[in-house]
Amino acid sequence: MKKEEVLSIIDKHRDQGDGLISVLEEIQTKYSYLPAEALKLVAERTGRSAVDVYSVATFYRSFSLKPRGKHLCLVCQGTACHVRGAPQVEKEFARQLQVQPGETTPDREFTLETVNCLGACALGPVVVMDGHYFSNVRTSRVKSILDKTRAGLDDAELKADLRDFVLTVSCPRCNHSLMDPHHPIDGSPSIKVTVATEGEHGWLRLSALYGSFTVESEFGIRTDAVVDFFCPHCHAVLKGASLCPLPQCRAPMVSMIVRAGGVVQICSRRGCKGHMLDLNGSGV
Amino acid sequence: MITLTINGLRVEVEQGTTVLEAARFLGFPIPTLCHMEGLSPYGACRLCVVEIGEGPKAKLVSSCTYPAEEGLRVRTASARVLRARKMVLELLLASCPQSKVIQDLASAHQVRQQRFRQEHEDCILCGLCVRMCEEQMMAKAIGFRGRGSTRSLGTPFDIKSEVCRLCGGCIYVCPACQLRCTYTEPDKAICGGCANLSPPCVEKERFDDMMCYMNPCVACEIVKD
Ligand code: SF4
Ligand code: SF4
Ligand code: SF4
Ligand code: FES
C-alpha cells in the first residue's frame, strides 16, 4: 500500500462530494482488501473517528479487512440456493480449493466466500466468480468453473459473444417471461421491458436476436443516456451486479434470465454495445 | 406545548419530550436499561415498552425514543406491556445471566423463570458505553463492529486505543461488566466484582476478551501483561 495512492483516492472522492463508502470501495478495488493503515488514513484525512470508519468497514460483507486472492468465488447460501444444494456446492469448492469459506488459498489465487442472497433465486444454486454469474451449479461443474476462472473469464466471454441466436428471457425476480410475441423485431418475438430516464417513463422493446441492437421505444431516448430498466410484471429493477465491460462506458448492466439457463447482461447506456452472455453449461 | 394522555391522566409537555420523560414526570415508573440521562436515546434494550393507540391499532413502542404527540394515548402498564417487558427481561437474562443489573430488574418485575439457553455474553449491545465515550468523554475510542450475530464492541482493530482517556466511563455505565471494577473496593462490591467472574478479568490474557478498554487499567491498578 502506498500512502500517496490512498490519499489521492480520498481527495478525489472528497472533491466529488462522495461519502465514506465510495472511498472504501475504491481502496478495496485497488488492493483487494482494506489495509489497516489505509483505514487510519481515511479517518485522519476525512476528520472521522477511527471507530466510525472501522464500524462501516466491518458492517458490510463486501468489504474485507484481510487480503483477498486474485479471484473471488462467492457461493450463494440463500434459502432458495440452500434447498437446491448450495451447501454441497460450497463443500465441493472448499474441498477443491482446500480452504474454508472466508479463507484465501495459500497461493493467493482464490478467496472462497458465501453470501446470503444474490437476488437471483430462480437461478440457484448461484456461484459468482469475479462478478460472472453461474447458475444451476452442480458439484460436478465446480472443477470446470475453477478452470475457466483460472483461464480468465473475460476471454471466454468474448468468444461466446461471437455467436448469433435468439434468446428467450425472463425477469430474474418474478421469473415472468419478458417476451412479446405480438410485436416481433428482427422476425422473432421482442423483449418488452419498462424503462425510465430523464423524467420519462414508458415501454421499450429490444430485439431478442443476440448481437442485434434494434430497439423500439415509447419515447425518444437520447444517445448516451443511462436508462433504468424495470420488469413490466413485478416492477423490479433489472440491474445486474456488474458494470459495462467497455472501459469508456462503465454504466450499470441490466440482467435478465435466459430460459435455457444462464444470464444475459446488456448495458443500460443507450447506444452502448456492451453485453455479456453467460449460458448455463456453455464452454464450462 | 403538546397534550397527551398517559394512563388516563392528561399532561402537557414541550415539543421534543419523549413519552418516557412525560411518564416519569407524572410519576409512572417505566424500567429502562439502555437509557441514561445525559446520553442520547438509543432504543436498544426495548425494556421501556409502552402501548400507544386504541383497539386493533394499538402497538408497542419504546418510550425512550418515542416523541410525545398531540392527543397520544399511552398505557405504561397494560397486560400486554407487562407481558412484553417480562419477555424482554427473560431474554436479557438468558444472554447475560451474570449481570447484577439485569438480575435486579428481572427480580423486580417478577421474572421467576428463564426458559432460554444461557449465553453468558459479556455484552448486550446496549450502546451505553459507546454513547458515554462519545457524548460525555468526547473520546470516540470504542464503537460497534460488524453486524447481526457477530456484532461486537471494542476499539478499532482490537488494539489499544490512542484516543482513550482512561476515564473508566464505559465501565461505569456498563450493565454487563460494571461488577468487575468494584473488585478493589470491597465495601462497594456487590458480590466480589470481577473476581467472581469466570475467568476473572485479572487472569484474562488477551486484551480483546476483556470488556475493559482501558490499557493500562487505572481503576483497579492491576497491571496487565
Ligand atoms: S475509558 Fe476510554 S473507552 Fe472508556 S469511556 Fe473513557 S475514553 Fe472512552
Ligand atoms: S459493553 Fe456494556 S455498556 Fe457497552 S454495549 Fe456492551 S453491555 Fe452495553
Ligand atoms: S482490568 Fe481493572 S478496570 Fe478493567 S475490568 Fe478488570 S478490574 Fe475493572
Ligand atoms: S430504555 Fe428504551 S429501549 Fe432501552
Side-chain angles (χ1 to χ4, degrees), chain B residues 122-129 144 153 170 173-177 211 213:
Chain B
D122 45 20
C123 172
I124 55 164
L125 303 173
C126 70
L128 275 174
C129 56
F144 289 110
L153 210 127
C170 50
V173 295
C174 178
C177 65
M211 289 308 292
Y213 306 107

Side-chain angles (χ1 to χ4, degrees), chain A residues 35-37 39-40 49-52 54-56 58-61 65, chain B residues 134 139-147 154-159 162:
Chain A
E37 301 79 59
L39 291 181
K40 284 186 193 140
S49 64
V51 160
D52 287 349
Y54 190 72
S55 299
V56 172
T58 53
F59 186 88
Y60 294 99
R61 278 289 289 271
L65 297 187
Chain B
E134 176 179 352
K140 277 199 149 201
I142 50 177
F144 289 110
R145 299 92 50 88
R147 65 165 167 187
T155 56
F157 311 106
D158 277 321
I159 51 172
E162 288 157 19

Side-chain angles (χ1 to χ4, degrees), chain B residues 29-94:
Chain B
I30 297 179
T32 57
L33 185 59
C34 71
H35 175 266
M36 183 169 281
E37 222 154 288
L39 302 181
S40 52
Y42 187 59
C45 72
R46 316 313 285 179
L47 191 56
C48 63
V49 283
V50 294
E51 197 177 8
I52 58 167
E54 296 297 330
K57 279 200 176 151
K59 59 176 179 180
L60 295 175
V61 295
S62 59
S63 61
C64 69
T65 51
Y66 203 89
E69 288 165 358
E70 186 61 45
L72 194 70
R73 305 178 83 84
V74 183
R75 286 171 301 283
T76 67
S78 65
R80 187 174 171 199
V81 168
L82 295 182
R83 216 169 39 238
R85 211 173 266 164
K86 271 179 114 168
M87 178 54 87
V88 168
L89 277 168
E90 205 178 322
L91 287 164
L92 282 169
L93 200 55

Side-chain angles (χ1 to χ4, degrees), chain B residues 60-209:
Chain B
L60 295 175
V61 295
S62 59
S63 61
C64 69
T65 51
Y66 203 89
E69 288 165 358
E70 186 61 45
L72 194 70
R73 305 178 83 84
V74 183
R75 286 171 301 283
T76 67
S78 65
R80 187 174 171 199
V81 168
L82 295 182
R83 216 169 39 238
R85 211 173 266 164
K86 271 179 114 168
M87 178 54 87
V88 168
L89 277 168
E90 205 178 322
L91 287 164
L92 282 169
L93 200 55
S95 61
C96 197
Q98 75 275 25
S99 157
K100 184 80 171 94
V101 177
I102 297 173
Q103 288 169 11
D104 287 349
L105 277 166
S107 140
H109 289 86
Q110 277 77 44
V111 176
R112 296 289 178 258
Q113 54 176 354
Q114 199 275 101
R115 293 162 290 180
F116 306 103
R117 186 159 53 92
Q118 297 198 335
E119 305 277 4
H120 291 281
E121 299 283 358
D122 45 20
C123 172
I124 55 164
L125 303 173
C126 70
L128 275 174
C129 56
V130 180
R131 285 172 286 153
M132 185 69 174
C133 187
E134 176 179 352
E135 294 169 15
Q136 292 294 335
M137 300 308 163
M138 312 295 167
K140 277 199 149 201
I142 50 177
F144 289 110
R145 299 92 50 88
R147 65 165 167 187
S149 59
T150 55
R151 198 159 190 237
S152 70
L153 210 127
T155 56
F157 311 106
D158 277 321
I159 51 172
K160 181 180 167 175
S161 167
E162 288 157 19
V163 291
C164 170
R165 296 157 177 261
L166 305 181
C167 65
C170 50
I171 303 167
Y172 177 75
V173 295
C174 178
C177 65
Q178 61 185 183
L179 280 188
R180 299 176 202 189
C181 293
T182 57
Y183 181 36
T184 51
E185 289 173 78
D187 42 315
K188 282 200 193 154
I190 310 161
C191 63
C194 46
N196 272 359
L197 293 176
S198 157
C201 74
V202 288
E203 281 165 27
K204 283 190 180 178
E205 270 153 21
R206 278 176 44 238
F207 178 68
D208 61 351
D209 3 284

Side-chain angles (χ1 to χ4, degrees), chain A residues 100-175:
Chain A
Q100 288 308 307
E103 293 176 358
T104 303
T105 53
D107 59 4
R108 302 279 296 277
E109 279 291 307
F110 285 93
T111 297
L112 179 60
E113 275 179 21
T114 58
V115 287
N116 291 337
C117 187
L118 292 161
C121 303
L123 295 176
V126 178
V127 171
V128 186
M129 297 299 263
D130 297 339
H132 296 255
Y133 283 68
F134 292 88
S135 55
N136 296 310
V137 176
R138 303 272 163 259
T139 47
S140 54
R141 277 178 68 208
V142 167
K143 188 168 185 307
S144 58
I145 291 177
L146 287 175
D147 289 345
K148 195 181 170 191
T149 310
R150 278 198 195 91
L153 283 165
D154 292 318
D155 301 348
E157 225 57 58
L158 272 186
K159 265 182 252 132
D161 277 4
L162 297 176
R163 288 166 301 180
D164 199 29
F165 53 89
V166 177
L167 296 173
T168 309
V169 297
S170 58
C171 165
R173 177 131 131 227
C174 65
N175 211 12

